[in-house]
Amino acid sequence: MQRPEPEPRSFDRVLSSMCTEPHPDARAAAERFLATNPGDPATYDAVADLEARAVEGLATLADHPSPGDAAGYVTSGGTEANVQAVRSARNRHDGGRGASDGSGGGGRALNVVAPASAHFSFHKAAAVLGVELRTVPLDGDYRADTDAVAAAVDDATALVVGVAGSTEYGRVDPIGELAAIADEAGARFHVDAAWGGFVLPFTDHAWSFDDAPVDTLTIDPHKFGQAPVPAGGLLAREDAALDALAVDTPYLETRSQATLTGTRSGAGVAGAVAAMDALWPDGYREAAERAADNADWLAEGLADRGYDVVEPELPLVAADVPEPEFAALRDAGWKVSRTGAGELRVVCMPHVTRSALRAFLDDLDRIRR
Amino acid sequence: MQRPEPEPRSFDRVLSSMCTEPHPDARAAAERFLATNPGDPATYDAVADLEARAVEGLATLADHPSPGDAAGYVTSGGTEANVQAVRSARNRHDGGRGASDGSGGGGRALNVVAPASAHFSFHKAAAVLGVELRTVPLDGDYRADTDAVAAAVDDATALVVGVAGSTEYGRVDPIGELAAIADEAGARFHVDAAWGGFVLPFTDHAWSFDDAPVDTLTIDPHKFGQAPVPAGGLLAREDAALDALAVDTPYLETRSQATLTGTRSGAGVAGAVAAMDALWPDGYREAAERAADNADWLAEGLADRGYDVVEPELPLVAADVPEPEFAALRDAGWKVSRTGAGELRVVCMPHVTRSALRAFLDDLDRIRR
């Protein structure tokens, strides 16, 4: 039974997504590799080779000490990468691995300490993995409050999380201080740069393997990396972080599988490599600068109109736009979303042009009349 | 830095994969929806509508009592679907939900009882979710031994698993009897028809929601459904099974998310719908019959050559081919794999033609000379 063919989302009015229009090379590569499965490298060897290149590219961006043989893989997205980072830390914590009840071996649940700004995938990770998530308050500028983090860790803390480009306000936590707190507590340290990872190399923020003793890091090609969905990334400083995730695979011609999913997208892997080949570093630098300019321009435009604006740090603007205006913008076809506090939130992804933002403000002016 | 472009795997000599060449309509739809994310339905509404159609299609195949509003979603593959089924059962078991240590509330780990033939994703699920996996022996024909299953369940059993199309031998467990054992133990019952689900409707096997009190079921479009990777499927008889997986999503314009991953592949969803539109039911029936004929033909050819062959039940042939011949076949470019017991294993997917199998046996004859 044929029904009318729906249209995929055009990105013209999408201001709410952390995904974007893929680079043309990335789209072409993804189309070629649609029917491959990097989860079965013995059968799909070409895409397995590509995955090694993707990991090397991501590790280069994230200043891994040896990008050529960094531990990592292309995940379905930031959620899988974050869940796996929590799982690895749980398994590596003293007594954690093999304790089938997810406890530290002594019957006490392990915990993960993360700022309140951490992505909801950490809540999902805690629910899935049977660990306690301790979210701690932010400072006055939406960053992790290091005193609160220090007060929350204890010897059952398996992981401390720092966010480098938060989902709601685009903030970068004090990565060096958080790493030091984790180290003192005997916990692993994870940086969630899922969205920020392809922008941060062109800023002065501390976020990478080179900036602090980061154990694991999430960095997603299908966000600012301009790869097609699904292509997230998990990197680890040491092989042991991935080894702690390995489950035996009896019938595949490979020994074990460290991924959370089984079959994975060859399109995502091939698209990620093609995007990085085309854009690293100059194309990404230009995209990051353009996005930053757009965010500043939008923030100023909203402030000029009298809204309370959260000053952008990475290219994400939040502003206190009242609910009726927000609803009218959505009715006008703008895909916008809200922070937990109810602010309008605009993510200045590569597909978000200055003229689109101009049209957005024009619509807002029309609505306010 | 440009390197030579690798070629994606041609399916000509792939006899080891449970994925296949997508239907042309499915490939086209996937290409159109490459840059969409069904994990964010408020932004990507067209693909969210498509996902509802995909679930309805899968529910129709699996004889769900009300396909039009069946609970389910398009997963990254069978692994995610199986992990989620275990997670749902864990969360729904008395005291399971909210017990952050994954125990039944009394400090005792919950367990899952599955036949030894269950896919290794159940081992992964157990490791991730902190439940105990009890694998029980098979009967003389590679099916779950129901006496062994009955002996293994207890009141901490959250889930009993039946396999409808096992990975190694393509066997279908006695689904009705297993469901009765689960029911008596107060456990949920899951059917893993990841690979078999698009073939079983054209056989006499009991496997579906209509055949037994099945709670959850895995059925993957990207296997015999001829959809592109990644498109798996999880279905549930009751909404409550999915509700038990929901995690709040503060900044998406949707209330909660029941999936394991966050961002998901719109290409997989659109491809699954296009494949089912094109092939259900006649195209799938023809593919299933052709695959069954090919499996019988190959089994006979191998038996004629003196190999011990496991009689195919679904279109999968296992035969006791010695290691040197197996290695020579791989050297000749054939992608074949082995069962845990070391048998050669050929999966007669839609892309596996009679002429390919003829060439395969010719190569084997040449090797044996």
Side-chain angles (χ1 to χ4, degrees):
Chain A
M1 185 178 53
Q2 293 291 341
R3 305 186 216 187
E5 198 65 46
E7 285 305 307
R9 165 64 42 206
S10 141
F11 278 100
D12 289 355
R13 300 196 152 209
V14 173
L15 306 180
S16 54
S17 185
M18 290 189 147
C19 296
T20 193
E21 187 69 52
H23 186 278
D25 291 3
R27 177 179 279 277
E31 290 179 359
R32 292 178 68 232
F33 280 84
L34 261 182
T36 61
N37 171 17
D40 180 1
T43 301
Y44 301 95
D45 42 352
V47 78
D49 292 346
L50 281 178
E51 183 162 25
R53 285 175 57 190
V55 170
E56 181 175 359
L58 293 172
T60 302
L61 264 86
D63 294 327
H64 191 282
S66 59
D69 49 26
Y73 74 97
V74 177
T75 66
S76 57
T79 291
E80 178 176 349
N82 287 337
V83 170
Q84 290 279 78
V86 173
R87 181 178 162 214
S88 174
R90 179 196 71 175
N91 288 355
R92 293 178 85 190
H93 195 82
D94 291 344
R97 180 154 178 84
S100 72
D101 59 356
S103 77
R108 192 176 42 143
L110 297 177
N111 68 71
V112 171
V113 176
S117 56
H119 186 254
F120 74 88
S121 52
F122 291 99
H123 294 264
K124 197 182 272 191
V128 167
L129 297 166
V131 300
E132 179 198 353
L133 179 65
R134 297 181 178 172
T135 53
V136 302
L138 306 180
D139 68 14
D141 194 26
Y142 308 101
R143 291 181 187 81
D145 181 319
T146 51
D147 290 342
V149 172
V153 298
D154 59 25
D155 62 2
T157 301
L159 187 70
V160 173
V161 175
V163 184
S166 62
T167 310
E168 296 205 315
Y169 300 106
R171 288 303 189 257
V172 181
D173 286 334
I175 297 302
E177 284 122 293
L178 292 176
I181 295 167
D183 184 53
E184 196 165 333
R188 312 282 166 184
F189 181 55
H190 176 71
V191 170
D192 182 3
W195 175 70
F198 282 77
V199 172
L200 288 159
F202 312 107
T203 69
D204 294 333
H205 292 289
W207 71 287
S208 74
F209 286 104
D210 194 43
D211 294 323
V214 173
D215 290 298
T216 51
L217 189 143
T218 295
I219 174 170
D220 288 356
H222 72 201
K223 294 193 170 86
F224 254 103
Q226 302 181 43
V229 172
L234 174 67
L235 296 173
R237 184 181 295 274
E238 299 172 354
D239 292 351
L242 249 70
D243 294 345
L245 300 170
V247 173
D248 290 345
T249 57
Y251 66 89
L252 292 178
E253 292 297 305
T254 40
R255 257 199 0 272
S256 67
Q257 196 175 76
T259 57
L260 183 60
T261 55
T263 297
R264 291 183 295 129
S265 169
V269 167
V273 170
M276 287 189 274
D277 278 351
L279 293 167
W280 173 258
D282 294 341
Y284 287 132
R285 180 185 292 109
E286 285 158 27
E289 288 169 358
R290 204 164 47 237
D293 288 348
N294 280 337
D296 290 341
W297 183 87
L298 177 65
E300 207 178 298
L302 290 167
D304 287 349
R305 283 161 179 80
Y307 298 109
D308 237 356
V309 176
V310 180
E311 199 58 42
E313 185 168 278
L314 296 186
L316 196 164
V317 180
D320 195 11
V321 172
E323 168 59 29
E325 293 167 31
F326 179 89
L329 285 165
R330 277 195 77 94
D331 288 346
W334 293 100
K335 294 291 179 185
V336 283
S337 62
R338 276 169 293 201
T339 65
E343 293 136 326
L344 169 87
R345 175 179 161 272
V346 171
V347 192
C348 292
M349 297 301 294
H351 68 268
V352 177
T353 61
R354 183 67 61 93
S355 70
L357 293 175
R358 205 169 278 127
F360 175 73
L361 288 184
D362 287 349
D363 274 3
L364 183 57
D365 289 338
R366 192 178 43 73
I367 286 161
R368 287 149 52 93
R369 251 178 244 133
Chain B
M1 184 178 56
Q2 292 291 342
R3 304 187 217 188
E5 197 65 46
E7 284 305 306
R9 166 62 43 206
S10 141
F11 278 100
D12 289 355
R13 299 196 156 210
V14 173
L15 306 179
S16 55
S17 185
M18 291 189 146
C19 295
T20 193
E21 187 68 54
H23 186 277
D25 291 2
R27 176 179 279 277
E31 291 179 359
R32 293 178 69 232
F33 280 84
L34 261 182
T36 61
N37 172 15
D40 181 1
T43 301
Y44 302 94
D45 41 353
V47 79
D49 292 346
L50 281 179
E51 183 163 24
R53 284 175 56 191
V55 170
E56 181 175 358
L58 292 173
T60 302
L61 264 85
D63 295 327
H64 191 282
S66 60
D69 49 26
Y73 74 97
V74 177
T75 66
S76 57
T79 291
E80 178 176 350
N82 287 338
V83 169
Q84 290 279 78
V86 173
R87 182 178 163 214
S88 175
R90 179 196 72 175
N91 288 356
R92 294 177 85 190
H93 195 82
D94 289 344
R97 181 153 180 84
S100 71
D101 59 357
S103 77
R108 191 176 42 143
L110 297 178
N111 68 70
V112 170
V113 176
S117 55
H119 186 255
F120 75 90
S121 51
F122 291 99
H123 294 264
K124 196 182 272 192
V128 167
L129 296 166
V131 300
E132 179 198 351
L133 179 64
R134 298 181 177 171
T135 53
V136 301
L138 306 180
D139 68 13
D141 195 26
Y142 308 101
R143 290 180 188 81
D145 180 321
T146 51
D147 290 342
V149 172
V153 298
D154 59 26
D155 62 2
T157 301
L159 188 70
V160 173
V161 174
V163 184
S166 62
T167 310
E168 295 205 316
Y169 300 106
R171 288 304 190 255
V172 181
D173 286 334
I175 297 301
E177 284 122 295
L178 293 176
I181 294 167
D183 184 53
E184 196 165 333
R188 312 282 165 184
F189 181 56
H190 177 71
V191 170
D192 182 2
W195 174 71
F198 282 77
V199 172
L200 287 160
F202 312 107
T203 70
D204 294 332
H205 292 289
W207 71 287
S208 74
F209 286 104
D210 194 43
D211 293 324
V214 173
D215 290 299
T216 50
L217 188 142
T218 295
I219 173 170
D220 288 357
H222 71 201
K223 294 192 170 89
F224 253 103
Q226 301 181 42
V229 172
L234 174 67
L235 296 173
R237 183 181 295 273
E238 300 173 354
D239 292 351
L242 249 70
D243 294 344
L245 301 171
V247 173
D248 289 345
T249 57
Y251 65 88
L252 292 178
E253 291 297 305
T254 40
R255 258 198 0 272
S256 67
Q257 196 175 75
T259 57
L260 184 59
T261 55
T263 296
R264 291 182 295 129
S265 169
V269 168
V273 171
M276 286 189 275
D277 278 352
L279 293 168
W280 172 259
D282 294 341
Y284 287 132
R285 180 184 293 109
E286 285 158 27
E289 288 170 357
R290 204 163 46 238
D293 288 348
N294 280 336
D296 290 341
W297 184 86
L298 176 64
E300 207 178 298
L302 290 166
D304 287 349
R305 284 161 179 80
Y307 298 109
D308 236 355
V309 176
V310 180
E311 198 58 41
E313 184 168 278
L314 296 186
L316 196 165
V317 180
D320 196 11
V321 172
E323 169 58 29
E325 293 167 31
F326 179 89
L329 285 165
R330 277 194 77 92
D331 288 346
W334 293 100
K335 294 291 179 185
V336 284
S337 62
R338 276 169 293 202
T339 65
E343 294 135 328
L344 168 87
R345 175 180 160 271
V346 172
V347 192
C348 293
M349 296 302 293
H351 68 267
V352 177
T353 61
R354 184 67 60 92
S355 70
L357 293 175
R358 206 169 277 125
F360 175 74
L361 287 184
D362 286 349
D363 273 4
L364 182 58
D365 289 338
R366 192 178 43 72
I367 287 161
R368 286 150 53 92
R369 248 178 246 133

